[in-house]
Amino acid sequence: MFAILKLLLLSISSQLNADQGFDVRRHLCTVTRYDVAKDIANTSAAAANNIPNGCTPIHINLVARHGTRSPNKKRMRELDKLASHLGELIREAEEQNLSLEKVPSWLRGWKSPWRGKLKGGELISKGEEELYNLGIRIRLRFSELFDEEYHPDVYPIKATQVPRASASAVAFGMGFLSEKGGLGPAQHQSFTVTSEIPASDIILRFHDCCGNYKDFKKKQEPAVDKLKEPVLDEITTALVSRYGLKFTRQDTATLWFLCKQEASVLDITDRACGLFSPSEVVLLEWADDLELFILKGYGNSINYRMGVPLLEDVVQSMEQAIKANEEKHPPGSYEKARLRFAHAETVVPFTCLLGLFLEGSEFQKIQREEPLELPPKPPQSRNWRGSTVAPFAGNNMLILHSCPENSKSKYFVQVLHNEQPVPMTGCNGSDFCPFEEFKEKIVAPHLKHDYDSVCTAKLEEPEQKPVSNKLSQLFRCLLSLQNDDTQSTGG
């Protein structure tokens, strides 16, 4: 009997220790802060540097998501509704003389931290720091590329017109160009950030104008909600039993959203997050990852095929860099980096176009446009995690290297995801791929699809001129933007 009791106590102690070591901030899907995501990458990715001797970087493409932001107006209203409903649940329990001993004290009289705010979705100070520090790290890591005087043609910085993205570009530029200028005691350097109007930005906001994608997403969202329901129902039942309040499925979903916002934006992990056990957090994270996979990732080829204009822009910039290097253009006369700042809806499709976070057979499937299996349910392991794929400030960098002494290829592409080398399944699992092989095996299969054929219904007659197609596309895009709920786009 004593031995059984001892084993039981050891088991409980072991579980408590495991729970104490559990960091909810690592399980927030795309609401994960960049510093936490980088820790995840550092502990899970092979950081071996396979750059051969004699190779030097000659160009960088950066595609980055904006930094940590506040919730948008739509979600802030949702939190206000939660506050009202929690108050009703407490009053109902009191009227029925039910014990409130198990109810956390913070729930009584709780109000949203964002109540009364008229604006939302803006970059917060933590988000500014994420991009500012990223700019400094990139400059130091690739110092040979950034030793020239700043010029917007040499280091173009591009962003969408959504304020959190353009503010992220500014924060990055301040770090990237810190102490490079002569403005004030901090020696700031002024710089240019350019943007396309939303109606024509098919490079960084392609999802905004892609009518077929919007139709697909609208039809799929109810099915995604159905997939998540069993998880929410299971956890709702557990919460009702644990705290004695009649929580609904919607309450559970909103409390999980509150947990993610508190942990990421406010650094609070012991209130809303404390309502859930670690195993419940892991399940909720998986449900979020499913949604990301189906609506923005590998779940359907339209999710990433619409990003082909961005992929073409990246390859074109590398080809121009190779030409400048071959023709020995003088310093300052050619581009050395193309730096872009956008949204999860940009970074996730671009990640899929590169074929990252796939197993070998899965890469072949997406090349044939075959559906992939959904990410497996915990405790099974999975490659697809939103906290790694697209955290706040998440990014992909494509570094073009010149390797004049290499007999196989003179130019190679290295892919860094969140600043870590990441294997390209399409290049035999290497993170350092010959440029021509990169174009042939990873890029070319996508280029049979152009944006207009992927995103618009074939309303035009074949004999119409291309300019008519462009005007038609622009008109449809403008209509789409007018009808869009601007509070829920641009994650």
Side-chain angles (χ1 to χ4, degrees):
M1 183 69 179
F2 177 75
I4 294 173
L5 182 60
K6 185 176 180 181
L7 284 172
L8 181 61
L9 289 172
L10 283 172
S11 175
I12 294 171
S13 175
S14 175
Q15 184 61 48
L16 285 172
N17 287 335
D19 289 357
Q20 288 171 358
F22 182 84
D23 187 350
V24 69
R25 296 174 306 158
R26 292 173 173 261
H27 301 273
L28 305 181
C29 196
T30 57
V31 189
T32 303
R33 285 215 311 262
Y34 190 61
D35 58 341
V36 177
K38 267 184 62 60
D39 285 345
I40 294 171
N42 286 337
T43 57
S44 63
N49 194 335
N50 297 319
I51 308 301
N53 291 332
C55 294
T56 57
I58 62 170
H59 189 272
I60 290 179
N61 272 284
L62 170 68
V63 179
R65 187 187 178 199
H66 60 75
T68 301
R69 66 168 172 100
S70 67
N72 61 33
K73 287 198 291 186
K74 180 180 177 182
R75 302 311 295 265
M76 288 192 293
R77 288 194 295 268
E78 188 177 317
L79 291 174
D80 288 337
K81 290 179 183 177
L82 174 67
S84 298
H85 192 236
L86 290 176
E88 292 171 7
L89 293 179
I90 297 290
R91 286 193 297 274
E92 182 181 321
E94 289 173 337
E95 289 168 2
Q96 296 178 11
N97 294 319
L98 300 177
S99 172
L100 296 177
E101 287 182 5
K102 296 188 291 185
V103 178
S105 58
W106 69 266
L107 268 179
R108 306 176 199 184
W110 178 81
K111 299 295 181 187
S112 167
W114 296 278
R115 70 187 183 278
K117 282 197 66 177
L118 301 178
K119 300 287 184 182
E122 74 279 4
L123 193 70
I124 65 171
S125 59
K126 287 185 179 71
E128 293 173 339
E129 292 169 5
E130 288 165 342
L131 274 300
Y132 177 81
N133 291 328
L134 177 63
I136 292 174
R137 287 194 302 271
I138 289 178
R139 187 189 71 199
L140 295 175
R141 182 171 183 172
F142 302 102
S143 56
E144 61 268 58
L145 275 177
F146 300 117
D147 55 359
E148 288 185 25
E149 184 178 339
Y150 167 76
H151 191 281
D153 292 341
V154 179
Y155 306 111
I157 302 175
K158 303 171 182 287
T160 71
Q161 287 193 354
V162 178
R164 56 182 169 268
S166 53
S168 294
V170 171
F172 176 91
M174 291 178 69
F176 166 60
L177 295 167
S178 58
E179 301 180 358
K180 286 279 189 177
L183 293 175
Q187 295 182 297
H188 290 299
Q189 162 75 58
S190 61
F191 55 92
T192 303
V193 177
T194 60
S195 298
E196 293 285 338
I197 60 170
S200 62
D201 191 356
I202 63 170
I203 291 181
L204 293 182
R205 280 191 74 81
F206 39 78
H207 57 280
D208 256 350
C209 300
C210 189
N212 289 341
Y213 169 70
K214 289 191 168 201
D215 291 342
F216 160 77
K217 185 179 177 185
K218 186 176 181 180
K219 291 174 183 175
Q220 282 293 115
E221 282 173 338
V224 171
D225 290 340
K226 280 287 182 187
L227 275 176
K228 296 170 71 172
E229 279 180 7
V231 170
L232 292 171
D233 288 344
E234 176 186 335
I235 295 173
T236 300
T237 300
L239 292 180
V240 171
S241 174
R242 192 176 300 147
Y243 301 110
L245 297 176
K246 296 179 181 179
F247 293 116
T248 65
R249 180 195 297 155
Q250 183 58 51
D251 290 333
T252 300
T254 308
L255 284 167
W256 171 235
F257 173 75
L258 175 61
C259 161
K260 292 187 289 187
Q261 295 299 314
E262 285 186 337
S264 185
V265 177
L266 304 178
D267 267 327
I268 297 173
T269 60
D270 59 353
R271 296 182 65 167
C273 294
L275 296 174
F276 304 102
S277 70
S279 61
E280 289 165 351
V281 167
V282 168
L283 276 178
L284 289 164
E285 177 195 22
W286 171 70
D288 285 348
D289 287 347
L290 282 184
E291 181 174 346
L292 183 72
F293 184 90
I294 295 168
L295 298 182
K296 295 177 185 175
Y298 290 115
N300 190 289
S301 62
I302 193 172
N303 294 344
Y304 48 90
R305 296 290 192 203
M306 64 177 172
V308 163
L310 173 57
L311 184 63
E312 290 177 315
D313 187 62
V314 167
V315 173
Q316 180 193 56
S317 70
M318 290 194 280
E319 289 175 334
Q320 291 171 348
I322 289 172
K323 181 181 179 182
N325 191 61
E326 290 289 313
E327 297 177 357
K328 302 190 184 316
H329 290 189
S333 67
Y334 58 93
E335 181 184 281
K336 287 193 168 185
R338 195 169 293 189
L339 310 163
R340 308 169 186 82
F341 301 88
H343 309 271
E345 293 88 343
T346 315
V347 173
V348 174
F350 185 60
T351 298
C352 294
L353 286 169
L354 297 175
L356 307 185
F357 303 104
L358 289 175
E359 304 295 341
S361 60
E362 291 178 327
F363 180 76
Q364 301 305 322
K365 282 186 176 181
I366 70 161
Q367 297 282 294
R368 297 191 299 266
E369 299 188 40
E370 296 175 4
L372 300 186
E373 295 293 326
L374 294 176
K377 186 177 180 179
Q380 297 180 71
S381 63
R382 64 185 185 276
N383 284 340
W384 185 265
R385 294 187 62 204
S387 56
T388 303
V389 175
F392 286 127
N395 58 83
N396 286 313
M397 277 189 281
L398 281 74
I399 319 300
L400 179 65
H401 290 263
S402 172
C403 303
E405 299 174 8
N406 190 288
S407 58
K408 183 179 179 182
S409 176
K410 291 178 66 177
Y411 297 96
F412 284 76
V413 178
Q414 183 187 37
V415 174
L416 305 180
H417 182 79
N418 297 340
E419 303 175 67
Q420 295 293 322
V422 60
M424 289 175 275
T425 311
C427 197
N428 300 315
S430 173
D431 62 68
F432 197 67
C433 188
F435 180 61
E436 293 302 324
E437 187 175 337
F438 173 80
K439 288 202 300 179
E440 177 190 349
K441 293 187 176 179
I442 295 176
V443 177
H446 297 304
L447 297 188
K448 61 186 177 184
H449 303 277
D450 66 79
Y451 185 80
D452 198 51
S453 66
V454 168
C455 289
T456 63
K458 295 181 180 178
L459 301 176
E460 301 85 0
E461 294 299 324
E463 64 269 17
Q464 283 188 296
K465 295 180 180 179
V467 66
S468 300
N469 294 341
K470 292 291 185 183
L471 288 173
S472 176
Q473 175 181 306
L474 181 61
F475 178 68
R476 285 194 297 272
C477 189
L478 285 167
L479 286 177
S480 178
L481 285 169
Q482 288 176 346
N483 295 327
D484 203 17
D485 177 6
T486 57
Q487 295 306 315
S488 61
T489 60

